[in-house]
Amino acid sequence: MNNLHPEFRGKAQSMTTEAGAAKGLQQMLEECGFNVQGMRAKCNPVCPIENTNCCMAQLLSKQDDFQLQESLLEQKIKERGHICAFLPKFHCELNPIEMVFYFILF
């Protein structure tokens, strides 16, 4: 829904060609109405902070359909009736199991 071109908003887009081959970044973005001529595929090694249009990978990752898509792991966990919560690595104040370990030691 955040596409700059209203005619492309809310439309489903296939990630593969009719033959079943995966589409590239450039083809995906051009089908969404973005002009990616002269834009590199991906920054090396990572994109600059707070930059939205530095490369095709960054532009595609900022689209709603990519940001709101659940991972396969999240889908499988929820299918079995569990809650999936991702926590920052090694952050004892946000990870409940770390708090239990902390109280056992002291």
Side-chain angles (χ1 to χ4, degrees), residues 9-35:
R9 292 181 187 157
K11 290 188 177 180
Q13 184 178 14
S14 175
M15 298 293 288
T16 58
T17 61
E18 292 177 10
K23 293 180 182 177
L25 285 171
Q26 184 174 356
Q27 185 177 357
M28 291 290 301
L29 289 167
E30 286 174 348
E31 287 177 5
C32 290
F34 292 101
N35 181 11

Side-chain angles (χ1 to χ4, degrees), residues 23-29 36-48 52-61:
K23 293 180 182 177
L25 285 171
Q26 184 174 356
Q27 185 177 357
M28 291 290 301
L29 289 167
V36 292
Q37 296 301 321
M39 190 181 284
R40 62 180 149 212
K42 176 131 179 59
C43 293
N44 191 11
V46 295
C47 298
T52 57
N53 295 329
C54 58
C55 63
M56 287 187 263
Q58 180 74 1
L59 180 60
L60 190 60
S61 71

